[in-house]
Amino acid sequence: MASTSAATPLKNKRKFENGKKKPKTLKDEFGEKLDIKPVIVPPKPADEYDYDSSDEEDLRNTIGNIPIKWYDDEDHIGYDKFGEKIAKPAKKGEIETFLEKMEDPDYWRKVFDKQTGTDVKLTDEQIEKIHNIATGKYPTIGYNPYEPFLDIFSSQKEIHPIDNRPEPKSRFIPSKDEMRMVSRMVHAIKMGWAKGPRAKKEEHKSYDLWASEDALDNVTKSQLSRMRVHMPAPKVALPTHAESYNPPEEYIFDDEERKKWEEAEKEDRVLNFMPSKYDALRKVPQYDKFITERFERCLDLYLAPRQRKMRIHADPTDLLPDLPNPNDLRPFPTTLAFYMRGHTGQVRAITVEPERGELLASGGEDGTVRIWMIATGRCIKTFQMDGEVTSVSFSPVADRTLLAVAYEGKYVAILNTGCGDRLHVQQTEALLAETPTDAQEDGAVVTWRKSKEKLMLKMPNEVRQVTWHSKGDYFASVAIDDIAKSVYVHQLSKAKSQCPFQKRKGHVQAVTFHPTQARLFVATKIHVREYDLARCVLVKKLITGCKHISTMATDANGENLFLGGLDRRFCWMDLQMGNKPWKKLKHHTAAVRSVAYHKKYPLLATVSDDGTAMVYYARIYTDFVKDNELYPVKRLRAHEKTPNDLCMLHTTWHPTQPWLITAGADGTIALFTY
Amino acid sequence: MDLADLMEVENGDHSINQKHVQITFFSKDEEIPQIPDAVFDVPTGAECDDMNLLLNKTIEANDGAWKERRFEFLVGETFLRTSLAEFIEEYEVETETILKVECVIGIEAPKPLHDIQAPDWVSSVQIANGHIFSTTYGGDIVIVDRKGKETKLAVNSANRLLKCISIVKAPSKKNQLDGTEFVVGGENQLLTLYAIEKGALVEKLILRGHERAVECVSVNSDSTRAISGSVDTNLKIWNLDASDEATTYEKEEEEESAKKRRKKETKTKVPMVTIGGHRDKVSAVEWCPWNSGHAFSCSWDHTIVEWDLELAGEISRIKGPKSFTSIDLHPKSDLLISSCTDAIPRLYDPKNRDGSMVKQSFIGHQNGWVEAVKWNPLDTNQFVSVSTDKTAKMWDVRSSKSSLFDIHGHDDRILCATWNEGLIATGSADCTIKIFETA
């Protein structure tokens, strides 16, 4: 404890010494007293010398710096200089401590010192210092943190300089180093090694007084749109001769015209002034209607709305479709080669033998069926029928020389032509002989019988058309009458006929078989129905757009249907594109009598009562990427019109050549080649 | 030049207003002597007769021995038929330069000789040994001699609907009919070899094998082989030697003596070779003139094919624009003339394949088909063509835009023609055979 109290006064001494030195230095420098508050006087050193208790304490415990706690388990606390144990001070008991506390008034001042083992009594100064530390104040008693500020320099002005040393000479002489550096730079510039300072070029700036007018930044949206769709005002009409000061005589009003002009309303007048005549320009008076005219002009410009009229400059050739050159679509028939003569009266039907195309069969109004050689037009055989022939059809099987003939008297005959291959003729004779006509059912509507090398079918009604199935065993017939049972399907190998329909769906005009499937196309006057013969159901009903269908044909695959009508219309039905026509044409001026499609070439022909046959290039694509093509390429004229306005009645194509054969009402058959 | 001056003097009053053209004459014919290289100023109104007179006088001035003859004039590729003015206007000839005119010895027009009435449409005609042989669609065989006298032959068995005829053998004696052999074919798929013996028509051979009507037949020069074409697209080669047993079709001998005797005389033969290469009807066949083992055929499939009959294969094929109806080969010039189902005969060179296929197209017929073409065997430049427009035309191959002569007379379509021994015979659908004599 003494050491502690000894250290504290030392610190205080040092601080006070600093305070003392400062005023002394100030006095010594300037020789005057400063106006400063008085400093607290430190305690006297004599008091310090009066105390020797620290020495006593040190002497009392001579154990050195060994921690006391090492001797907690021992009865002594170290050794003295003689080596003898120093005994521990005696511990006070609780009762003794309590009694000291009650009786001793300085008990609160005592602190136990472990080093010496005795109680130390604190002084008042020490207690105040501890209290300052506990309350956060400065530990030094009497310390003033707000000492007045002492300037480092004096504010008093002196007449003498502080430093009396004179300025050296080098302050007044320019620097040699700088001079050397500048010389080096000048030399480098002279030698071209370095560039001098770059002269700043002044750009001559020209000001545009009207720049703001050209720029579009200041323009509003309405002004922009007005510029974009600028519509100039309509021009004033130029003056005419009547407005001259000396017009010709015919422009001057006479009495009648003047009266008429004066009586008319002002809005109805053609001229709003009266033409007058002066012989000299100096005599022309002032125009008294000038103000009125200008006002009306401004009124028109302000009130009359203007509208931009879009005018399309379309070249008529651009509106037409791009058609190919007909010469690129050859071959198609272009010229009439010759006529085949022999029939008297109308030639109503023609048919060509399949595959070879050497023979042509024709049926006419004279009740004959004739076989012709196409190469020369020679008639080589004639069959006499008992009535007017309405339809003939060669069997599509090339191994048979069968010909189906429908003629008036309600008969259908199956003939052996007897021309062509001898072997095929014999085979056909055997086939006809084997037909089981004797095994017919009783009460059958159609009766079959043999009659010297031909089969005769007695039908219940007059037959309009007879057509073969592509396999050659079945053939169908259509009656002329409008009845429910107008269509019959006949089977040659069994000599059997049956009617596939029980109800009337319309007046049947034509039937045709599907080339590859077991289907039947039935054309009434307006519609075409497709029936599945295997399942006996209606597959499709086609809306044709024709008013009166007269003829029907299919292509080789059965996916397209060609229809001709008595209302001059021709329809192409693509059966894969719904039930509406793919194309409708009206190139004829009279009824279309027959339609034919070629098996090898993409050619289509229609014949009509107007005496012409239209030949079309008709290409069919099976894939759906490409569309079908139909171009009219040639109009062929032949045959003569009869008094009842019939001309061409039937047509067919040669099976191997692009030749067209037409049957005429004048009794001739025409062959067209190219 | 003196003659030109004379002509100007003669036309003194008219020459001022009339147009003139400068022409020069030349010739490739050896018969014509050297024509001087003079340039003549000729009025455009001059016609063939005037130019003939001018040329004859020019040659006579140089060559005193020259006798006056008639010339034909070729300008470009066309014969001059009208006056020069019309010719220049029609063919747009350039009159600024000198017009070069080729001179050809004039050919006399064919003179109508006979008009023979046939019982039916005439399907084919042949001329041999002073006689005209023809077939009709009614199955008749009409034989007429040069004087127009028809020979009535007793026919043992009449075939039906004949289409073609070809002479197999002719007797060595002139104008004799006995010993003649010919083969005919028709709609009944058969070819029949007939011989004329003692004024009677005897059926010698029956050639059986075609499936459809026989369209054409041809016999080679040594009379040993025949080739025929049919609607069934096949060509068949036949051996005409009766003693050859390999191609004979044998039947069982019957006991009846009458039939036995007749059967011995008539034999049935099958073809040696069948060639199938065409895809449509064969319309004409011809033996090759320069190679005895080759033959030519044409078809409706737009082709003309040369065949090697020993190998039974195809040598070359010419594709045409239309279906062919007839062909003919010249025995000397080896050129092939053909007709199609249009109005234009076409000239081909089967030996030379350089350049274009068609050497020449002869334009002159009207609409319709040209049914037959035939060369003149005595002249390499002339042929005759018949058409469905009822006319026959005589052509020179040097002039393709106009024919030499137009032969009229038939009332209906002409179906066949032939040219041999200085005679042209045409058969028509009006049941007549017309015979014309050529120089």
Side-chain angles (χ1 to χ4, degrees), chain A residues 86-200:
Chain A
I86 299 170
K88 278 185 174 177
K91 271 190 173 180
K92 296 176 182 176
E94 293 185 2
I95 296 171
E96 192 174 351
T97 305
F98 179 77
L99 290 175
E100 281 189 8
K101 191 188 291 181
M102 299 300 295
E103 292 175 359
D104 193 356
D106 296 328
Y107 175 78
W108 64 278
R109 289 177 180 259
K110 288 180 180 176
V111 176
F112 181 74
D113 186 3
K114 288 185 177 181
Q115 193 72 19
T116 59
T118 58
D119 293 330
V120 179
K121 186 179 178 182
L122 298 174
T123 60
D124 294 336
E125 186 178 348
Q126 287 174 339
I127 290 172
E128 186 177 358
K129 192 177 283 184
I130 290 168
H131 187 264
N132 284 343
I133 291 169
T135 57
K137 293 180 180 176
Y138 290 101
T140 306
I141 301 169
Y143 176 74
N144 187 10
Y146 302 106
E147 290 284 351
F149 176 72
L150 297 177
D151 281 328
I152 298 174
F153 298 100
S154 173
S155 62
Q156 186 177 358
K157 213 170 187 181
E158 299 293 341
I159 61 174
H160 297 290
I162 297 173
D163 192 350
N164 200 21
R165 185 172 61 191
E167 295 287 345
K169 183 184 177 185
S170 61
R171 296 262 178 103
F172 306 95
I173 297 172
S175 172
K176 287 199 178 286
D177 291 333
E178 289 182 359
M179 184 183 295
R180 197 175 304 109
M181 188 177 294
V182 168
S183 299
R184 193 182 301 114
M185 289 169 70
V186 168
H187 182 66
I189 290 169
K190 285 181 179 180
M191 297 301 290
W193 302 334
K195 282 187 177 179
R198 182 176 294 177
K200 193 173 183 181

Side-chain angles (χ1 to χ4, degrees), chain B residues 53-124:
Chain B
L53 182 64
L54 173 64
L55 184 59
N56 274 303
K57 285 184 178 302
T58 304
I59 299 175
E60 196 174 14
N62 285 10
D63 187 3
W66 174 257
K67 291 181 181 178
E68 183 170 333
R69 297 187 66 175
R70 196 176 70 85
F71 292 97
E72 294 278 353
F73 299 104
L74 265 166
V75 183
E77 288 185 345
T78 316
F79 274 115
L80 186 66
R81 285 280 184 263
T82 59
S83 67
L84 274 173
E86 295 176 18
F87 187 91
I88 287 164
E89 182 179 345
E90 184 179 354
Y91 294 96
E92 298 175 359
V93 180
E94 187 65 46
T95 54
E96 300 295 329
T97 59
I98 298 173
L99 199 66
K100 298 194 174 185
V101 178
E102 183 181 353
C103 310
V104 180
I105 295 290
I107 301 160
E108 294 185 18
K111 290 177 285 184
L113 208 59
H114 299 301
D115 188 345
I116 299 157
Q117 190 68 37
D120 211 327
W121 292 20
V122 184
S123 55
S124 65

